[in-house]
Amino acid sequence: MHLSVVLDCLDAQALTPFWSAAMGYRVASELPGFVVLRPDEGEPRGPVFILQQVPEDRRGKNRMHVDVHPPLDLGLPGLVSRLEDLGGRRLGDPVVDLLETVGVWWQVMADPEGNELCVVAEPGHPGPQEWSDR
């Protein structure tokens, strides 16, 4: 068994650069209305991520979202900056609710169409107080 994650969107092609950067994935295939992303060769196996073009706008809050965990060498600030350059935006301040108990903190973001995701800094990453790029 394997898992595919499908994101409904208005323009699959336009969101491809954003989600490729967010996930560290590459385009595996394209069909009319669909772009399929998957991990690069040699990277850890992960679910296939499919951008599915639909005619309706996103309504309300996501019931499910993607958490992306950047590698230590890129870090949360590096990935957030890259995603902002691709049209993403931060939603609020960094969330530190689990920083003291589990050593994890994150930044909630939205892609260019408003779909939400979290960029997660795991233990070993610098803390949010060291992130001065606000």
Side-chain angles (χ1 to χ4, degrees), residues 51-126:
L51 298 168
Q52 174 179 275
Q53 201 157 304
V54 297
E56 64 275 354
D57 287 329
R58 178 181 166 272
R59 291 180 177 73
K61 184 180 181 325
N62 291 12
R63 295 289 297 184
M64 186 172 76
H65 67 270
V66 174
D67 283 355
V68 294
H69 301 254
L72 190 55
D73 62 331
L74 175 60
L76 183 146
L79 182 55
V80 166
S81 178
R82 184 180 294 170
L83 297 178
E84 288 176 324
D85 290 345
L86 293 166
R89 67 185 189 285
R90 298 178 205 186
L91 301 177
D93 293 323
V95 180
V96 296
D97 298 354
L98 298 178
L99 185 58
E100 288 194 26
T101 56
V102 246
V104 172
W105 64 282
W106 60 92
Q107 177 64 56
V108 180
M109 296 193 73
D111 74 8
E113 289 189 7
N115 299 300
E116 297 166 20
L117 68 147
C118 292
V119 180
V120 180
E122 297 175 337
H125 284 255

